[in-house]
Amino acid sequence: MGARVGRMFRNFNLENRVHREIAKEKPRLAPRHAVTEPQQQPPAAAATSGEAAVEEAVNRKDDPLLALLRSVYVDSTDPAPAEATKQVTSVGGERRPLKFHLPASVYGLAELTDVPVGKLTIGEALKALSSHRRQPETWTPEKIALDYALDLKEAKSILEFFIPFQVEIIPPKDQETKQIKAS
């Protein structure tokens, strides 16, 4: 009840009070402190004795330091073998036709006709992995590397580390829980 009464007195004649406050003459701001700006001097006259000494020390040639600098000899060698650079250029230049592709309209990808040598598309990788999983004697890493123009080491790594459709069935903690049987 008290809040209602207080709100009534607060809002009483509010608009007139606002107009009166806006119409009042605002107090003037206090004058700012006078700032003395540094005088701009011509560049020749700007150098004082301390600045001149620093500038002279910067521009002076130090013969012992120059002699030490001339004695430094840097021999640089390229750690990468030459065949690594050949491989990079050949990968960018040579291309091979696709062996297998997924329908492009389903995934919204552009239709590819060829890929660089040493590379695989997702469709080709999935096809190679599923073929190897179904027939490991026929689809060996050597055959996959030959068919898809891959390095043998890369083909072995793909078959070892790229496992797309592996389903892990976690056994239940107790026998009452239903379990999916692996077929």
Side-chain angles (χ1 to χ4, degrees), residues 1 4 16 25 29 35 44 56 58 66 69 78-79 81-82 91 105-106 112 119 131-132 150 155 157 170 175 179 183:
M1 183 73 174
R4 258 189 183 167
N16 287 340
E25 193 173 323
L29 294 175
V35 177
E56 180 185 329
V58 167
L66 282 174
L69 185 59
D78 189 12
V91 166
S105 62
V106 175
L112 296 175
K119 304 277 183 179
S131 299
H132 175 72
L150 293 173
S157 296
I170 301 169
Q175 293 300 331
Q179 181 178 358
S183 53

Side-chain angles (χ1 to χ4, degrees), residues 64-132:
L65 287 177
L66 282 174
L68 287 173
L69 185 59
R70 286 190 186 108
S71 68
V72 172
Y73 177 74
V74 177
D75 186 18
S76 176
T77 57
D78 189 12
E83 61 187 54
T85 57
K86 288 179 189 173
Q87 181 185 8
V88 169
T89 57
S90 69
V91 166
E94 297 177 28
R95 298 183 74 83
R96 64 169 181 78
L98 285 180
K99 298 277 185 195
F100 177 81
H101 64 88
L102 295 172
S105 62
V106 175
Y107 301 106
L109 301 173
E111 184 67 33
L112 296 175
T113 57
D114 58 350
V115 292
V117 172
K119 304 277 183 179
L120 284 177
T121 63
I122 296 292
E124 288 177 328
L126 293 174
K127 177 74 171 170
L129 288 168
S130 65
S131 299
H132 175 72

